[in-house]
Amino acid sequence: MSILITNIKELLQVHDTNVTIVKGINMKTLPVLHNAYLLIENDTIVEFGPMEFCAYPDVEKVIDARGKVVLPGWCDSHTHLVYAEDRIDDFVGRINGLSYEEIAKKGGGILNSANKLAQKSEDELYEAALKRLNKLLKLGTGVIEIKSGYGLTVESELKILRVIQRLKKETQAFVKVSFLGAHAIPEKFKNKSSEYVDLIINEMLPQVYEEQLAHYIDVFCEKGYFSLEVTDRILTAAAAYNLQPKIHVNQFNAFGGVALAVKHKALSVDHLEQLTDADIKVLQGSNTMPVALPQCSFFLGIPYTNARAIIDAGLPLAIASDYNPGSSPSGNMNLVLSLACIKMKLTPEEAINAATINGAYALGLSSMYGSITRGKKANIIITKPISGYQQLPYAFGENLIDKTIINGIIH
Ligand SMILES: [Zn+2]
């Protein structure tokens, strides 16, 4: 099917050549075409330009975007979308003064999510995750990473990964998968955590590989969870199965996780609420994308990633939702955009670059997604009539999206 979008007030992120990453000072530039059209054939962007050159009488569907902004769909490079239940108790506990670590010690946190997930069938998990994902398609997210990590047993980790594979096959979203068996040490392995690491390396990883269930390896590299030495072991083992790292580092403590990730050629390092000059230096010599997760800072009340320091050092930055029941129970990238501007002091242009082209880079997909470029996939957001694209981050909490086109299908 061919779709022609006409009279577009602002067509954002237009590139004649196929950019795949935007760094440093260049993040302030967001190429905009005013009064434009965009032509889509099936799932692909085939042409765009000023309205005066728009002449396609035979298209099957025309969408008039008068007063509206059109841009590439959000590329959310970090979520934990498959989970059993929300964590309201943790939420209320935190309001009453408990820290993230104290909640974990009381049996809340990730282990609580793992216990609940073990009791759910694959179908139940699939149905719940599908509902969440369908909501996100309408909010502009068409490319998404989903992690395992609430299983923490061989059976449950594989169960989550199979659910993600079903989402990948049966929805319009383009899904990338990360195996996060190293999310927490299960109760059973308390005081013998190295045995759990053995289980990850000797039993989980070979099965993940055999069934081709994941693209990436993730580890929660953090004090009290997985040390540098253990993370190194897991990433080394995963490399033998061609799983590139995308890892959780520097959420609560900066102790060398970034350098370790770069040593293992990580595609991205995610969180970075704690960040040292040494971390920035290491990233400058790498192809690793730093990813900030501002909703997690908002929800937990922890510091925000120093995004200015990252961008001002000439580095690229991506932003993602971290959608999960414990620390970011929302996958709404529009709110992520607002928080990036309001709390991390990104300009609207930087935030949109971070949520589109750089998000796609953090999933190894930026040659296919993340910009309005001929030949790229047609994942598109069409806003309601707005004064300009700056209103997207400005009017936080409001849904300014009229419709989305994901994989060539209108939502
Ligand atoms: Zn996460």
Side-chain angles (χ1 to χ4, degrees):
M1 160 143 141
S2 52
I3 303 173
L4 178 67
I5 309 175
T6 60
N7 300 312
I8 302 166
K9 181 175 182 168
E10 295 172 347
L11 180 61
L12 306 188
Q13 196 67 302
V14 287
H15 291 272
D16 285 325
T17 55
N18 195 353
V19 291
T20 53
I21 191 167
V22 185
K23 299 179 183 181
I25 189 85
N26 292 327
M27 287 189 70
K28 285 202 196 301
T29 303
L30 183 69
V32 182
L33 210 54
H34 297 269
N35 192 25
Y37 75 90
L38 175 66
L39 180 65
I40 295 165
E41 284 291 353
N42 300 319
D43 63 349
T44 305
I45 295 168
V46 292
E47 198 48 89
F48 60 85
M51 267 314 282
E52 58 200 278
F53 300 120
C54 178
Y56 301 98
D58 298 329
V59 291
E60 290 153 85
K61 169 109 187 139
V62 177
I63 298 173
D64 187 344
R66 208 170 294 262
K68 300 176 177 182
V69 173
V70 172
L71 68 155
W74 307 130
C75 300
D76 189 351
S77 65
H78 184 135
T79 86
H80 310 244
L81 180 85
V82 178
Y83 58 87
E85 284 175 27
D86 58 34
R87 295 219 308 252
I88 299 288
D89 292 348
D90 296 4
F91 175 61
V92 176
R94 206 165 34 247
I95 292 168
N96 287 318
L98 298 179
S99 71
Y100 189 88
E101 288 89 345
E102 285 165 337
I103 286 166
K105 270 188 199 131
K106 281 186 64 172
I110 297 165
L111 297 183
N112 182 18
S113 284
N115 288 336
K116 285 179 176 163
L117 187 135
Q119 293 155 28
K120 299 273 185 190
S121 72
E122 199 176 305
D123 284 342
E124 287 171 316
L125 289 171
Y126 174 75
E127 290 305 327
L130 181 64
K131 263 189 207 153
R132 289 177 204 127
L133 185 55
N134 281 336
K135 237 191 263 179
L136 298 186
L137 294 183
K138 288 191 172 28
L139 289 169
T141 300
V143 172
I144 191 166
E145 182 254 23
I146 310 176
K147 304 172 190 299
S148 68
Y150 293 123
L152 308 180
T153 63
V154 178
E155 192 193 345
S156 290
E157 281 296 313
L158 294 176
K159 182 165 71 177
I160 302 172
L161 292 172
R162 288 185 193 119
V163 167
I164 305 173
Q165 289 297 330
R166 265 176 82 183
L167 293 170
K168 188 169 173 246
K169 281 194 197 87
E170 294 171 27
T171 71
Q172 298 300 329
F174 196 102
V175 179
K176 284 274 194 147
V177 193
S178 300
F179 167 56
L180 177 56
H183 198 191
I185 303 291
E187 195 61 39
K188 214 176 117 185
F189 292 92
K190 211 177 170 186
N191 305 323
K192 44 180 181 177
S193 60
S194 69
E195 286 180 29
Y196 181 61
V197 177
D198 291 341
L199 187 76
I200 292 172
I201 291 174
N202 299 328
E203 294 193 40
M204 293 185 191
L205 273 176
Q207 291 202 51
V208 168
Y209 178 75
E210 202 182 297
E211 290 186 47
Q212 291 291 300
L213 291 173
H215 304 103
Y216 302 110
I217 180 78
D218 195 349
V219 176
F220 189 26
C221 180
E222 185 54 61
K223 284 186 182 163
Y225 290 84
F226 295 88
S227 67
L228 282 183
E229 292 69 28
V230 168
T231 303
D232 192 29
R233 247 189 93 197
I234 295 170
L235 298 186
T236 303
Y241 298 109
N242 289 324
L243 296 175
Q244 193 182 8
K246 275 175 70 66
I247 74 169
H248 287 70
V249 287
N250 293 35
Q251 182 175 0
F252 301 109
N253 299 283
F255 54 93
V258 173
L260 180 69
V262 167
K263 185 187 106 181
H264 283 276
K265 301 196 168 10
L267 182 57
S268 73
V269 282
D270 302 24
H271 272 293
L272 309 175
E273 288 88 340
Q274 303 297 325
L275 193 65
T276 64
D277 292 346
D279 293 329
I280 287 186
K281 203 154 250 144
V282 159
L283 286 170
Q284 282 170 329
S286 80
N287 294 314
T288 302
M289 175 66 73
V291 180
L293 308 167
Q295 288 192 155
C296 176
S297 301
F298 173 70
F299 190 77
L300 292 182
I302 63 174
Y304 285 82
T305 302
N306 190 348
R308 282 265 51 98
I310 292 171
I311 295 173
D312 294 347
L315 291 168
L317 180 79
I319 51 176
S321 74
D322 196 17
Y323 193 2
N324 79 83
S327 60
S328 179
S330 164
N332 185 350
M333 283 294 285
N334 304 286
L335 181 59
V336 175
L337 200 73
S338 290
L339 291 173
C341 292
I342 297 163
K343 305 300 283 189
M344 301 198 307
K345 306 295 179 205
L346 265 62
T347 64
E349 295 77 19
E350 288 173 326
I352 291 171
N353 275 316
T356 56
I357 189 71
N358 285 355
Y361 179 95
L363 290 171
L365 292 172
S366 58
S367 62
M368 282 165 68
Y369 290 96
S371 67
I372 303 293
T373 302
R374 294 171 193 90
K376 274 196 174 178
K377 294 291 175 189
N379 273 16
I380 303 290
I381 293 171
I382 305 174
T383 69
K384 295 170 183 168
I386 54 178
S387 58
Y389 65 82
Q390 297 87 346
Q391 214 180 343
L392 286 170
Y394 167 79
F396 74 93
E398 199 176 332
N399 183 3
L400 296 177
I401 294 180
D402 176 32
K403 49 173 85 62
T404 59
I405 301 173
I406 307 291
N407 197 24
I409 308 285
I410 300 170
H411 293 267

